[in-house]
Amino acid sequence: MPKSKARKKAVYTPPQKSQQVKVSPRWLAPTMVAAWIIGILWIAVYYVAPQTVFLRDLQTWNLLIGFVFIIFGVVLSTRWR
């Protein structure tokens, strides 16, 4: 009787786990929280006092600046371990 031409599968060996635990840099969490707070405060101050000298000149760009700080904080939060 002819032998089967089916190829035998090798035994599965899972990849080795890394022994080293990844740790976030010390500056990451404070920078992340500071970016969120700055962004929220920037938008809040723009709505409360839109006639402030510096904020008046930027007009609606103030919203973009505030959201950029908030988004920067969110991007940093994806790097936190």
Side-chain angles (χ1 to χ4, degrees):
M1 195 147 184
K3 290 187 177 181
S4 172
K5 293 186 179 183
R7 195 173 86 190
K8 290 186 178 183
K9 293 182 180 179
V11 177
Y12 173 74
T13 55
Q16 299 224 352
K17 293 182 179 179
S18 175
Q19 299 295 334
Q20 199 173 22
V21 177
K22 294 182 180 179
V23 178
S24 300
R26 294 179 58 99
W27 57 266
L28 187 75
T31 307
M32 173 180 64
V33 173
W36 287 335
I37 291 172
I38 291 170
I40 291 170
L41 286 177
W42 192 288
I43 293 172
V45 169
Y46 172 64
Y47 276 113
V48 171
Q51 296 303 320
T52 307
V53 176
F54 182 69
L55 297 178
R56 178 182 49 214
D57 299 336
L58 293 175
Q59 296 175 354
T60 55
W61 285 99
N62 287 302
L63 294 176
L64 178 68
I65 293 169
F67 280 117
V68 165
F69 275 109
I70 294 170
I71 291 169
F72 178 66
V74 170
V75 169
L76 285 179
S77 71
T78 63
R79 308 266 185 223
W80 189 32
R81 304 237 184 261

